[in-house]
Amino acid sequence: MKKKPVKIMDTIFRDASQSKIATRMRLEDMLPIAEKLDRVGYHSVEMWGGATFDSCIRYLDEDPWERIRELKKRMPNTKMQMVIRGQSLVGYRHYPDDVVIRFVEKAAENGIDIFRPFDALDDVRNLKTVIETVKKMGKIAEGTICYTISPVHTIGLILDKARQLEDLGIDLFCLKDMAGLLAPYTASRIVRRLKKTLGVPIHLHTHDTSGMGAMTYLKAIEAGVDIIDTVLSPFSEGTCQPPTESLVMTLKGTPYDTGLDLALLADIADDVREMKKKYKEFETGLGGVDSKIMVTQIPGGVMSNMVAQLRQGKALHRLNEILEEIPKVRKDLGYIALVTPTSQIIVVQATLNVLTGERYKVITKETRELLRGGYGETPGPVNPELQKKALKGESPIHCRPADLIPPQWDQLKKELKGITELEEDILTYALFPHIALDFFKRRNQRLTPPIEISKQMVTP
Ligand code: CO
């Protein structure tokens, strides 16, 4: 058989931090490890985006932009990869195109090589501006579709969206299984079809939450997948990715041999294990297999947060009713996937539907916005009666939501006059205005942040 080495992205500095230690990993702990990682020969190392940006300024008193520059210095030979929520960047709402374009430009200039944009609704129009800007900057665009299970999510739908992304000029295609729901034989079928349909390499992202991660990768590899996401063993399994070393060992001596040095990986894993000890208080999720996720589809991080909030509100005894309500709300909202920020929208609405004693007695601002089309086109049709009730006579929109958002850059610049002129700072402020101002103040006074232990409710 012809050699077809599988390439590996290690998620150690992004998804691992987010899935296992509430996104608290500090730059100072990454730097010595990064120097060693640079010798491994990974396809890429994921080190930015998702919740890391928010966490930097909210909890760690770190400049997220400095993180890119410092890691780049330690990993000059390794491609640095980020995950980006399409038009929402690393925030939770859609931003105007002028902010999105500047954000991607600055991320590229500071050192990001591969951008993985995804959209919670898989509305490809929400990825367009990011992909076009990545291409303009000469960087690598990895168009992404989220994997979820519903009556409308067929392989045909994935192939159709993947083709739309290819038309936008992506360099790589990623299937992102953020909850660990992708079963091995399904992965094999999907990858086979993707390989026949697309001309670009296929990158698969899964989580080991359900215990299927490594098996899913193996079947995907046999079906021709080009790149997989793993993490060094101390952060592996459970809510994170399968272990890098195990996959490297599994493939050794086969046509899929990664060529990575196991002794070097074992050595780095020792350092990572030591480093992880510092974050014991932030360790989240179950270490082992969570079979419930196959039933509820609710990502581990979202579930633990929901339980904590219900306990606080003395409503934990209603959990099972809420778990039954979640799939019903999801159906009403067009079978959107449970990923940031739609996971929050569904969970909050389902909770209100149960706790108020009447379905949709209270409709949240976010549910209404989703029904209005403000997040884009949902994968399936929304419940028309609910839409009518929520919109109260207003018509839904059908265009790309950002087409209706006016430019903001000049206004943001004006608001920061006298505080900072750095474009990176203006972007930080555009994303998290209140926290950013506090952060700039602390940065200038070199104070340490208040210690907070609240967990973030984000999907990895
Ligand atoms: Co993930």
Side-chain angles (χ1 to χ4, degrees):
M1 198 180 153
K2 224 175 93 196
K3 281 210 170 117
K4 190 186 176 300
V6 168
K7 294 177 185 166
I8 288 190
M9 177 179 95
D10 206 296
T11 66
I12 182 75
F13 295 148
R14 204 288 298 178
D15 210 343
S17 175
Q18 195 171 324
S19 300
K20 289 277 185 162
I21 53 168
T23 332
R24 294 311 206 280
M25 201 185 289
R26 288 179 177 276
L27 178 64
E28 63 189 40
D29 290 323
M30 298 178 185
L31 293 178
I33 291 163
E35 283 176 358
K36 289 189 172 180
L37 289 178
D38 198 38
R39 302 207 298 268
V40 172
Y42 286 117
H43 172 262
S44 55
V45 168
E46 192 188 35
M47 38 56 73
W48 215 59
T52 62
F53 194 101
D54 188 346
S55 180
C56 270
I57 54 168
R58 195 186 294 266
Y59 304 117
L60 305 177
D61 212 15
E62 270 182 36
D63 191 327
W65 300 95
E66 189 193 346
R67 195 176 267 203
I68 315 182
R69 294 189 293 269
E70 290 303 312
L71 283 171
K72 190 79 184 174
K73 280 187 218 156
R74 306 307 207 281
M75 296 195 293
N77 305 305
T78 305
K79 288 200 169 66
M80 302 212 302
Q81 179 148 0
M82 79 168 292
V83 66
I84 179 167
R85 298 174 188 138
Q87 200 74 21
S88 303
L89 302 174
V90 291
Y92 304 95
R93 60 178 178 87
H94 285 196
Y95 297 97
D97 281 334
D98 63 343
V99 170
V100 171
I101 290 168
R102 277 199 169 76
F103 183 89
V104 173
E105 285 173 352
K106 283 288 143 191
E109 280 171 20
N110 277 282
I112 301 291
D113 300 291
I114 307 179
F115 293 74
R116 176 185 285 177
F118 75 94
D119 177 58
L121 269 55
D122 285 328
D123 184 337
V124 170
R125 298 172 305 174
N126 293 337
L127 305 180
K128 194 169 172 269
T129 303
V130 171
I131 291 172
E132 284 174 357
T133 312
V134 172
K135 300 293 293 175
K136 196 190 76 198
M137 295 301 288
K139 301 294 178 181
I140 298 168
E142 182 169 294
T144 303
I145 294 300
C146 299
Y147 176 76
T148 185
I149 299 169
S150 91
V152 299
H153 283 89
T154 57
I155 294 185
L157 185 79
I158 297 174
L159 296 177
D160 184 43
K161 303 243 180 207
R163 259 185 237 116
Q164 291 175 36
L165 286 170
E166 203 169 42
D167 288 345
L168 289 179
I170 55 168
D171 305 286
L172 302 167
F173 174 77
C174 174
L175 185 65
K176 174 182 164 76
D177 173 28
M178 58 278 166
L181 297 170
L182 181 58
Y185 287 92
T186 313
S188 174
R189 272 199 302 279
I190 296 175
V191 170
R192 240 177 265 280
R193 295 283 297 276
L194 283 169
K195 287 302 286 183
K196 272 188 202 150
T197 309
L198 299 181
V200 296
I202 317 285
H203 195 158
L204 183 61
H205 177 82
T206 193
H207 285 253
D208 216 6
T209 323
S210 59
M212 299 190 291
M215 294 185 277
T216 295
Y217 279 148
L218 196 56
K219 292 308 286 182
I221 288 165
E222 289 173 0
V225 89
D226 300 276
I227 313 154
I228 57 170
D229 290 352
T230 60
V231 66
L232 281 163
S233 52
F235 276 91
S236 70
E237 301 176 291
T239 50
C240 200
Q241 277 74 46
T244 305
E245 300 96 302
S246 311
L247 264 298
V248 169
M249 261 185 281
T250 301
L251 302 174
K252 206 169 172 54
T254 74
Y256 312 111
D257 199 330
T258 62
L260 304 192
D261 178 355
L262 264 171
L264 176 59
L265 290 172
D267 172 48
I268 306 172
D270 281 343
D271 293 355
V272 171
R273 201 169 295 112
E274 268 311 296
M275 178 266 276
K276 191 178 171 221
K277 287 181 184 164
K278 289 190 184 176
Y279 297 96
K280 207 160 177 47
E281 62 174 311
F282 298 113
E283 279 188 40
T284 50
L286 298 164
V289 172
D290 173 14
S291 53
K292 208 170 191 174
I293 192 150
M294 292 308 286
V295 185
T296 63
Q297 294 201 21
I298 300 167
V302 177
M303 180 73 101
S304 56
N305 195 75
M306 190 164 78
V307 169
Q309 286 188 350
L310 286 174
R311 187 175 289 135
Q312 211 172 24
K314 301 208 181 331
L316 194 57
H317 60 289
R318 311 294 298 272
L319 178 65
N320 280 336
E321 289 166 82
I322 296 167
L323 290 179
E324 273 169 38
E325 177 65 10
I326 284 171
K328 293 177 196 161
V329 172
R330 199 176 160 223
K331 184 180 176 195
D332 288 336
L333 300 181
Y335 290 112
I336 48 178
L338 283 148
V339 64
T340 307
T342 47
S343 46
Q344 289 88 329
I345 299 173
I346 295 171
V347 167
V348 171
Q349 188 62 55
T351 307
L352 286 169
N353 285 1
V354 170
L355 296 186
T356 60
E358 186 189 324
R359 304 193 71 218
Y360 303 110
K361 186 177 175 182
V362 178
I363 296 175
T364 66
K365 205 174 90 222
E366 290 77 16
T367 300
R368 185 183 184 277
E369 185 59 5
L370 196 114
L371 290 162
R372 197 180 70 89
Y375 290 91
E377 192 188 12
T378 52
V382 298
N383 177 338
E385 279 157 44
L386 176 63
Q387 189 182 42
K388 223 163 123 191
K389 182 179 172 183
L391 296 195
K392 292 186 185 124
E394 198 188 327
S395 320
I397 62 163
H398 298 287
C399 62
R400 184 186 71 119
D403 286 339
L404 302 175
I405 311 176
Q408 215 191 340
W409 185 256
D410 293 339
Q411 176 61 29
L412 291 163
K413 225 171 143 173
K414 239 181 256 164
E415 285 172 24
L416 286 182
K417 217 173 161 117
I419 300 173
T420 175
E421 280 175 12
L422 265 180
E423 295 208 339
E424 283 83 350
D425 281 349
I426 299 172
L427 288 161
T428 305
Y429 174 74
L431 287 154
F432 302 102
H434 298 294
I435 313 170
L437 290 178
D438 280 350
F439 167 72
F440 298 147
K441 216 183 282 170
R442 282 204 309 272
R443 188 179 59 184
N444 296 343
Q445 297 170 348
R446 289 169 184 275
L447 288 178
T448 45
I451 292 166
E452 258 194 84
I453 49 163
S454 67
K455 306 276 184 281
Q456 288 157 292
M457 191 166 147
V458 285
T459 29

